[in-house]
Amino acid sequence: VQLQASGGGLVQAGGSLRLSCTVSGRTFSSYTMGWFRQAPGKEREFVAAISLSGANTYYSDSVKGRFTISRDNAKNTVYLQMNSLKPEDTAVYDCAARPNWYSVTYARGYDYWGQGTQVTVSS
């Protein structure tokens, strides 16, 4: 399984970006998908997760109400719509896949990772 994250860029505070993560292979619908981010000098941080069918989602408190995670199993793609961006959202964002919905906020449960995409929010 290979993950390819894209859609990052430079945006002003208050703006929006949509990240995409395309997964190769025929078993995309078997994976819970998550988004994490890591800012310079900081630890990796959970952002959002979505269950196999998309029926369940979970967000960190820092992005709840501003970010929306979704998936299109027909396109093997998971999205992260980011609105009302703040400078503190600046980080490398990465997608990840895991086989279950347990403890989705912990990075160590994810088996596959993308290569990351940079999001920079200017003030």
Side-chain angles (χ1 to χ4, degrees):
V1 177
Q2 293 186 330
L3 284 65
Q4 179 74 37
S6 62
L10 174 63
V11 63
Q12 289 187 332
S16 298
L17 280 175
R18 188 177 81 156
L19 305 183
S20 298
C21 174
T22 301
V23 180
S24 65
R26 298 176 293 177
T27 58
F28 175 71
S29 59
S30 299
Y31 292 100
T32 288
M33 299 299 298
W35 285 97
F36 288 77
R37 67 186 182 185
Q38 188 166 19
K42 295 188 176 181
E43 293 186 354
R44 180 183 287 166
E45 176 189 16
F46 168 78
V47 176
I50 189 166
S51 61
L52 307 183
S53 66
N56 296 308
T57 57
Y58 191 77
Y59 299 92
S60 68
D61 288 341
S62 61
V63 307
K64 194 175 300 181
R66 300 188 298 122
F67 291 10
T68 302
I69 188 171
S70 61
R71 67 190 294 162
D72 185 338
N73 285 348
K75 295 183 178 180
N76 284 11
T77 302
V78 61
Y79 305 97
L80 186 68
Q81 177 66 45
M82 305 186 295
N83 298 329
S84 303
L85 283 162
K86 305 175 182 179
E88 51 263 44
D89 293 319
T90 295
V92 174
Y93 285 70
D94 206 0
C95 54
R98 63 183 296 145
N100 55 57
W101 185 245
Y102 303 116
S103 303
V104 294
T105 63
Y106 291 91
R108 63 175 178 267
Y110 289 81
D111 296 330
Y112 305 101
W113 291 82
Q115 86 294 345
T117 185
Q118 176 70 47
V119 172
T120 303
V121 184
S122 63
S123 57

